[in-house]
Amino acid sequence: MSVPAPLYLSLSAVLFTLGTVGVLVRRSALIVFMSVELMLNAVNLSLVTFARLRGGVDGQVVVFFVLVVAAAEVVIGLAIIVNIFRTRDTVDVDDVDLLRG
Amino acid sequence: MEAVLFAITAVLGIAGGVGVIAARQPVHSALGLLLALLSLAVDYLLLDAQFVAVLQVIVYAGAIVVLFVFIIMLLRATGDAPRARTAVPPAAASVLGAVLAAALLTAALTVRTGPGGVGAEYGTVQQVGRALFGPYALPFEAASIVLVVGMIGAVALGKRAQVIAVARTHAAPGVRAPAPDAPAGRVAAGGAGERER
């Protein structure tokens, strides 16, 4: 491990922050969704780094489960976005406020 | 050598991440996401996680990004509406982002590193597979249930979308032209379609 682990963790931190800012700033549901994927990937990088630090493979198994859940989440989420677009002709998250009190 | 590779992938990954949140066209965001995901795959290889790297390329870069591109194509999605480009004011978002980044980076840079030596077969498909089918067998089965539920959910939502589309075509006042794939009986019935709903 010639690159020290804190550098990987820093890259992970930067990517996670970028994803958070994307979720806060963008209004297109698709882009918000992509930002969430970015955050998931940042966490995956942390998990792989910690697994490497400990010398165990458990972190990589957790990454596998994150991948599975992310795949299912993308399928369902994109189906919901398509449904919203068909009923309301927009994917803008500010326009979908039916549950607002 | 590894340091150079890491520097390249870090720069590309951050560039891809910035591309995701800054691009005006959704397709450019998807390409930025692809860039970030592929750089992360190289990072996984540097961390001796070959199996995860391959999964990253196949599942994320292959399946998920392609799905995103398909949906962008399907929705003819343009970027954010012009009336206001951002949900949260960019200044507030950058302050929040800076605070979060500072906290995470502090934690990342103060982590205690161990000895860090691993055997040659660390991270191979065999080793991960042995863990996956040994101590993690039950979560693995649960993961398959999650995937089945995802599949069923997508089919159910897709069916619902079809019903909504047909209903809207019939609900539009003065429009008698049905959807091309609507059953012929509705065409003949004319206004009866509206009673059916």
Side-chain angles (χ1 to χ4, degrees):
Chain A
M1 206 173 178
S2 65
V3 182
L7 283 182
Y8 287 107
L9 296 175
S10 307
L11 175 61
S12 160
V14 171
L15 285 178
F16 190 88
T17 308
L18 282 175
T20 315
V21 172
V23 170
L24 287 177
V25 162
R26 298 303 300 258
R27 289 178 30 245
S28 164
L30 278 170
I31 313 264
V32 170
F33 213 17
M34 286 185 211
S35 303
V36 172
E37 294 301 315
L38 202 59
M39 290 160 82
L40 282 172
N41 269 280
V43 174
N44 277 353
L45 180 59
S46 283
L47 284 170
V48 172
T49 309
F50 285 128
R52 180 68 176 70
L53 273 181
R54 292 191 68 240
V57 85
D58 304 74
Q60 298 187 15
V61 175
V62 176
V63 169
F64 172 83
F65 290 126
V66 172
L67 278 175
V68 169
V69 173
E73 171 228 335
V74 163
V75 168
I76 297 289
L78 286 178
I80 290 174
I81 289 178
V82 168
N83 261 355
I84 290 174
F85 183 79
R86 291 213 177 153
T87 49
R88 312 185 64 119
D89 275 329
T90 177
V91 288
D92 194 322
V93 287
D94 282 355
D95 287 343
V96 186
D97 53 359
L98 220 61
L99 287 181
R100 179 178 286 175
Chain B
M1 178 60 193
E2 279 189 29
V4 175
L5 260 183
F6 174 75
I8 294 173
T9 57
V11 169
L12 286 182
I14 293 174
V18 171
V20 170
I21 67 174
R24 283 164 189 274
Q25 301 276 341
V27 178
H28 296 167
S29 289
L31 291 180
L33 186 64
L34 183 63
L35 183 62
L37 297 181
L38 290 178
S39 343
L40 282 181
V42 177
D43 281 338
Y44 294 154
L45 281 181
L46 290 179
L47 286 166
D48 300 310
Q50 297 95 325
F51 180 56
V52 177
V54 171
L55 276 186
Q56 172 88 357
V57 172
I58 294 177
V59 176
Y60 257 115
I64 292 183
V65 172
V66 167
L67 202 58
F68 267 114
V69 172
F70 262 122
I71 297 297
I72 290 168
M73 194 178 72
L74 196 65
L75 298 188
R76 306 180 305 277
T78 52
D80 295 340
R83 60 186 152 95
R85 264 191 63 73
T86 60
V88 176
S94 359
V95 170
L96 284 173
V99 171
L100 180 63
L104 288 175
L105 284 175
T106 312
L109 292 174
T110 53
V111 73
R112 268 181 303 152
T113 52
V118 289
E121 76 151 29
Y122 175 80
T124 53
V125 180
Q126 285 93 336
Q127 206 195 2
V128 179
R130 233 173 266 131
L132 211 51
F133 288 102
Y136 291 96
L138 193 63
F140 182 76
E141 297 299 332
S144 62
I145 295 178
V146 168
L147 284 179
V148 170
V149 169
M151 238 158 53
I152 295 173
V155 171
L157 284 169
K159 286 250 180 219
R160 218 184 127 247
Q162 239 176 9
V163 171
I164 290 170
V166 172
R168 286 182 83 207
T169 314
H170 285 277
V175 178
R176 283 288 165 265
D181 56 345
R186 292 218 176 159
V187 184
E194 270 157 77
R195 271 201 309 279
E196 277 176 40
R197 273 187 301 111

